[in-house]
Amino acid sequence: MTMRMYYSLGKFIHFVLRPLIIIAVNRTTRTRIIVRYNDEVLLMRNWLSSGEWSLPGGGLSGGEVATQGAARELQEETGVHLDAQQLRLLYDGKIVYGGGFNFRTIVFETTLTKKPNIQRQKKEISEIAWLSLDEVRNLPKTNIVFKKAGYFKK
């Protein structure tokens, strides 16, 4: 199966299962990590999604500390290893993403001094890229998180 077919299948499944996904996800606490290198941000697209760019992160396992869960998710999805102490808390609260999605989101930031080698987790992630902050401003879903975290105040 080609990447394009895989991606299209994921969008279709997401559309069909959307009501169940909304119920399940809205009951969880999720993390997001703004990983910066110079003026670029690491973003990804999940194959089982609407196809929008998003920040690395995900749900917390039972009893997991948010910084540890965020670091674990980043490593699982991108292969980038960070110690939990390298994450700076920017926001902790409910974010309304639209389309029925609204859940507690804990947003962290880390700034890297060296651009890491990315190893995309192929079961969940269809694409990973470094985008400039200017490009991120034009991404509706991701921009919501950035605004809540205090970016783009102007």
Side-chain angles (χ1 to χ4, degrees), residues 4 6 10 13 29 49 56 86 96 111 113 119 131 136 138 143:
R4 184 179 206 128
Y6 192 60
I13 292 170
T29 296
S49 72
Q86 292 176 267
V96 178
T111 301
T113 56
Q119 298 172 354
L131 276 65
V136 172
N138 298 316
N143 200 358

Side-chain angles (χ1 to χ4, degrees), residues 26-80:
N26 284 353
R27 295 179 181 187
T28 65
T29 296
R30 313 209 44 94
T31 62
R32 295 291 177 258
I33 307 168
I34 298 171
V35 181
R36 292 189 58 179
Y37 173 74
N38 292 333
D39 74 334
E40 296 178 315
V41 178
L42 184 63
L43 295 177
M44 57 188 209
R45 288 186 174 148
N46 293 315
W47 80 267
L48 183 60
S49 72
S50 61
E52 296 179 71
W53 287 105
S54 64
L55 292 162
L60 298 174
S61 299
E64 190 172 39
V65 175
T67 51
Q68 292 171 335
R72 175 187 51 76
E73 285 285 344
L74 180 65
Q75 185 170 5
E76 287 175 4
E77 294 172 343
T78 67
V80 175

Side-chain angles (χ1 to χ4, degrees), residues 8-129:
S8 295
L9 176 63
K11 286 178 77 170
F12 175 74
I13 292 170
H14 182 264
F15 175 77
V16 171
L17 297 179
R18 186 180 185 98
L20 296 174
I21 294 170
I22 289 171
I23 291 168
V25 168
N26 284 353
R27 295 179 181 187
T28 65
T29 296
R30 313 209 44 94
T31 62
R32 295 291 177 258
I33 307 168
I34 298 171
V35 181
R36 292 189 58 179
Y37 173 74
N38 292 333
D39 74 334
E40 296 178 315
V41 178
L42 184 63
L43 295 177
M44 57 188 209
R45 288 186 174 148
N46 293 315
W47 80 267
L48 183 60
S49 72
S50 61
E52 296 179 71
W53 287 105
S54 64
L55 292 162
L60 298 174
S61 299
E64 190 172 39
V65 175
T67 51
Q68 292 171 335
R72 175 187 51 76
E73 285 285 344
L74 180 65
Q75 185 170 5
E76 287 175 4
E77 294 172 343
T78 67
V80 175
H81 175 76
L82 294 177
D83 291 327
Q85 298 85 359
Q86 292 176 267
L87 299 174
R88 184 172 66 95
L89 177 66
L90 296 180
Y91 178 81
D92 182 350
K94 186 166 258 192
I95 296 181
V96 178
Y97 291 89
F101 289 97
N102 59 79
F103 46 85
R104 180 180 175 207
T105 305
I106 304 172
V107 182
F108 297 99
E109 177 187 42
T110 189
T111 301
L112 305 176
T113 56
K114 181 180 174 189
K115 200 171 204 175
N117 291 326
I118 301 299
Q119 298 172 354
R120 176 176 59 90
Q121 195 257 42
K122 295 177 182 173
K123 291 180 183 175
E124 288 182 53
I125 312 304
S126 62
E127 188 175 2
I128 294 180

